[in-house]
């Protein structure tokens, strides 16, 4: 009984219903296409055109044909022996006589057709006329092929039919394609990286991101050994959201997860769901999950999910966002609806997690958020080692120095630095990439291209030298200022000069450290006022940074004397667009505190410059002569720096392989040796 029931069920499944009006279409989801009606009408019109051309050959009787031959009105004759038919071409001067009123119609194609009594009779008649009258009539005997004639007749129709079928298959997405629509507009654009083909990425290809790799390792274990978790009653997570700035390796990390798990990997961008046609985004979401279910267990990676997962109702824009919301609703349904998506894990990446819809972030959809932050010092060292593998480097290249020189750089930025250094070395005809090439690459990426041919007067050059020397002097005598690497007055990008520092990577920053940084930034403007007597527009960038830092210290960090311990920072990411969280009186107080803080540091900068005026002038003179100076030149002018920076200490003790953040406090007593 069970077998019979099973057979009946299979038979019922095999019989697909025919949709009414579908003209026997076995697929009810794809009804009869109206474009076939247009195709039939077009072929009918073309057929009428072609068949109408057959009337350009005039049919005549045998007696009339004999008259035309006797009167020398025929130029050439072709006799088809297998059909007893002759086709003759009329001389141009006899077209009016033969065709009469239709002469204008036949002037370009003056042919007549006649049924001959027999091939032998026609041959004897033509020989007699040519012999008696001496006419120059070309006579040829031939046979016709019916198949070839039919092919010549119907070849245009066959080509049109083939072309139309090809167009219909393209419009319907090909045989067995899901989604349908014109030119497969409703099909998913996800790129499939199958486990049996293509290059596999593993965690060895991902440098740094140690914390993030530990979290995604669990996803790999879910896919490899799901029974270890389901046996205990647990459920495999539906998805994980990778959050981090651009270029930090979110996509690469997702590919590594797929490579480690050895499962198919679907990759698609969030913008691929958005289309101008209504319902296309939801259709692509359905098609994506349909393909994923067929390939399960697998991973679906949606890059830049904020393009489709933006919070609903906040930016309605007069109803024009309905299509985006429909796409999001379909995505929410597919991720955690009534349907089962067992074996399909969703990975998504975004750098705008604050604007995502709350329904998308709840448990059961994206169960966890994995933060992929900018690499720290140790991570940058590992990333440099990965990108330096294919590059021929010199012994002078210090990976630790490069890592210290690139704070705030993402993995993509570091890859760009390595590539740019190789290009610079190749441009200079070098056999190996040296340390100077990497420094030039960092300068090129951060500051822009050198403009050595920029027209600058001697007075302007002197002003720039004094400005940059002011920055260098203050950074040397301020304890918490970033250590100087080099100073240049060569124009680069939009800047007429620049000072390069080795920034400190602090986990926390004190008020004194921030004030020292502000004072060093104001050193250029202060040097102009003290040593030139007038200020210029060259300090615009410095003033912008100082102003932003001052407002941040007062409004966000609560580092004001008159407004202590107050913070107006909104961690939700929603800026105060229409109203501020403080009153007008408080705003005036904030402005006054900012002005007082900047003025205090400006006066402090002028005092330090006046105290070290001789060294500053000497430094400016060296800049005018050499256009670039390094930290060694400052040590020669001012003497050894009173304070040993954290960066220098790490570089001097690089033989000690330890974490930079575990350095002992010099104020503490040393640990006794065992």
């Amino acid at each position: 009984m069970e077998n019979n029931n099973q057979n009946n069920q299979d038979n019922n499944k095999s019989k697909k219903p025919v949709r009414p009006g579908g003209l026997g279409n076995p697929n009810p989801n794809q009804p009869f296409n109206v474009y076939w009606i247009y195709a039939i009408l077009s072929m009918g019109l073309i057929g009428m055109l072609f068949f109408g051309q057959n009337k350009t050959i005039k049919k005549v009787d045998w007696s009339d044909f004999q008259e035309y031959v006797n009167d020398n009105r025929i130029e050439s004759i072709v006799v088809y022996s297998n059909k007893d038919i002759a086709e003759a071409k009329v001389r141009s001067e006899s077209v009016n006589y033969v065709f009469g009123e239709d002469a204008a119609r036949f002037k370009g194609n003056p042919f007549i057709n006649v049924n001959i009594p027999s091939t032998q009779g026609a041959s004897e008649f033509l020989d007699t006329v040519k012999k008696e009258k001496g006419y120059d009539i070309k006579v040829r005997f031939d046979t016709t092929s019916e198949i070839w004639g039919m092919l010549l007749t119907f070849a245009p129709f066959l080509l049109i039919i083939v072309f139309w079928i090809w167009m219909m298959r393209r419009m319907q997405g090909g045989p067995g394609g899901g989604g349908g629509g014109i030119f497969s507009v409703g099909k998913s654009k996800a790129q499939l990286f199958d486990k049996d083909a293509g290059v596999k990425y593993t965690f060895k290809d991902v440098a740094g991101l140690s914390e993030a790799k530990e979290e995604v390792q669990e996803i790999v274990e879910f896919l490899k050994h799901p029974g270890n978790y389901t046996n205990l009653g647990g459920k495999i997570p539906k998805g994980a959201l990778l959050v981090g700035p651009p270029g930090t390796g979110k996509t690469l990390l997702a590919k590594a997860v797929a490579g480690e798990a050895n499962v198919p990997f679907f990759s698609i961008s969030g913008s691929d769901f958005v289309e101008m046609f209504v319902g296309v985004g939801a259709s692509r979401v359905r098609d994506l999950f349909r393909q994923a279910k067929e390939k399960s267990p697998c991973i679906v990676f949606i890059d830049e999910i904020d393009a489709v997962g933006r919070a609903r109702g906040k930016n309605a824009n007069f109803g024009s966002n309905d299509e985006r919301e429909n796409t999001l609703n379909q995505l929410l349904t597919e991720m955690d609806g009534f349907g089962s998506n067992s074996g399909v894990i969703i990975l998504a990446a975004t750098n705008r997690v604050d604007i995502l819809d709350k329904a998308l972030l709840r448990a059961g959809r994206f169960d966890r958020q994995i933060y992929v932050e900018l690499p720290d010092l140790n991570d940058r060292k590992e990333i440099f080692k990965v990108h330096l593998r294919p590059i021929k480097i010199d012994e002078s290249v210090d990976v630790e120095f490069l890592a210290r020189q690139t704070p705030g750089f993402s993995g993509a930025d570091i890859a760009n630095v390595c590539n740019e250094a190789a290009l610079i070395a190749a441009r200079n005809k070098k056999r190996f990439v040296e340390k100077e090439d990497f420094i030039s690459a960092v300068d090129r990426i951060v500051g822009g291209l050198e403009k050595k041919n920029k027209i600058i007067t001697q007075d302007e050059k002197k002003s720039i030298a004094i400005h940059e020397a002011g920055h260098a002097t203050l950074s040397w005598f301020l304890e918490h200022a970033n250590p100087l690497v080099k100073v240049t007055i060569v124009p680069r990008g939009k800047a007429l000069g620049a000072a390069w520092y080795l920034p400190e990577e602090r986990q926390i920053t004190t008020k004194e450290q921030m004030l020292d940084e502000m004072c060093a930034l104001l050193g250029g403007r202060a040097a102009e006022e003290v040593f030139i007597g007038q200020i210029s527009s060259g300090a615009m960038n410095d003033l912008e940074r100082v102003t932003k830092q001052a407002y941040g210290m007062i409004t966000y960090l609560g580092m004001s004397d008159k407004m202590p311990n107050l913070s107006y920072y909104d961690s939700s990411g929603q800026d105060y667009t229409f109203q501020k969280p403080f009153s007008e009186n408080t705003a005036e107080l904030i402005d006054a505190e900012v002005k007082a803080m900047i003025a205090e540091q400006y006066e402090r900068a002028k005092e330090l410059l006046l105290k070290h005026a001789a060294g500053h002038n000497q430094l400016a003179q060296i800049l005018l002569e050499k256009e670039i100076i390094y930290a060694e030149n400052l040590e020669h002018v001012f003497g050894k720096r009173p304070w040993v920076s954290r960066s220098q200490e790490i570089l001097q003790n690089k033989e000690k392989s330890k974490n930079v953040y575990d350095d002992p406090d010099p104020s503490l007593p040393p640990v006794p040796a065992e």
Side-chain angles (χ1 to χ4, degrees), residues 468-650:
E468 299 300 335
H471 287 303
T473 303
L474 290 185
S475 67
W476 194 260
F477 290 103
L478 291 173
E479 181 179 359
H480 302 294
N482 293 325
L484 185 72
V485 176
K486 68 177 182 180
V487 182
T488 178
I489 60 173
V490 177
R492 184 183 292 273
K494 295 183 179 181
L496 299 177
W500 306 96
Y501 303 93
L502 200 62
E504 303 280 1
E505 285 189 88
R506 307 183 182 101
Q507 300 300 314
I508 57 173
T509 307
T510 63
K511 182 179 179 180
E512 288 73 18
Q513 293 170 346
M514 293 184 180
L515 293 177
D516 284 356
E517 292 177 0
M518 291 177 61
C519 185
L521 286 172
L522 294 170
R525 169 63 64 89
E528 293 178 3
E529 182 179 347
V530 171
F531 299 108
I532 302 177
Q534 59 183 7
I535 58 178
S536 67
S537 61
M540 185 180 68
N541 182 258
D542 301 330
L543 299 179
E544 179 187 0
R545 294 171 60 186
V546 167
T547 305
K548 288 183 178 179
Q549 186 168 343
Y551 271 104
M553 291 173 62
I554 293 173
T555 59
Y556 294 161
L557 303 177
M559 294 182 177
S560 171
D561 295 334
K562 297 182 179 180
M563 300 175 58
N565 305 327
L566 290 178
S567 178
Y568 299 103
Y569 179 73
D570 185 11
S571 60
S572 63
Q574 302 176 5
D575 296 331
Y576 304 104
T577 306
F578 299 103
Q579 61 180 6
K580 300 295 183 181
F582 42 77
S583 63
E584 292 296 330
N585 294 332
T586 305
E588 294 178 358
L589 182 59
I590 292 174
D591 293 339
E593 284 290 282
V594 168
K595 292 178 183 178
M597 181 179 291
I598 295 176
E600 181 183 354
Q601 297 306 316
Y602 188 67
E603 294 297 326
R604 181 187 177 194
K606 291 195 294 184
E607 292 177 1
L608 284 173
L609 287 174
L610 289 172
K611 183 178 180 181
H612 304 281
H616 173 272
N617 295 333
Q618 185 180 353
L619 200 63
Q621 189 63 34
I622 298 175
L623 268 176
L624 286 173
E625 296 175 358
K626 298 182 178 180
E627 292 188 342
I628 183 171
I629 58 175
Y630 295 91
E632 293 79 7
N633 301 106
L634 270 75
E635 187 172 346
H636 179 72
V637 173
F638 297 116
K640 193 172 181 62
R641 196 164 185 256
W643 307 278
V644 178
S645 66
R646 188 181 181 86
S647 304
Q648 291 176 342
E649 185 178 352
I650 293 173

Side-chain angles (χ1 to χ4, degrees), residues 324-351:
R324 191 186 302 270
E325 291 188 1
N326 292 336
T327 306
L328 176 59
N329 292 335
Q330 185 64 44
L331 180 62
L332 296 175
T333 304
E334 292 288 346
M335 289 189 65
D336 189 21
F338 283 103
S340 175
N341 293 328
S342 60
V344 180
I345 294 180
I346 312 299
L347 292 181
T350 182
N351 52 8

Side-chain angles (χ1 to χ4, degrees), residues 87-99:
E87 188 176 287
K89 183 178 182 182
V90 181
R91 296 184 185 275
S92 57
E93 61 271 15
S94 301
V95 171
N96 293 332
Y97 179 82
V98 175
F99 297 101

Side-chain angles (χ1 to χ4, degrees), residues 11 236 306 349 375 540 558 619:
N11 293 332
I236 297 176
D306 52 274
M540 185 180 68
L619 200 63

Side-chain angles (χ1 to χ4, degrees), residues 79 82 85 90 183 282 306 364 634 659:
V79 180
N82 60 336
I85 296 176
V90 181
F183 295 104
D306 52 274
L634 270 75
N659 195 310

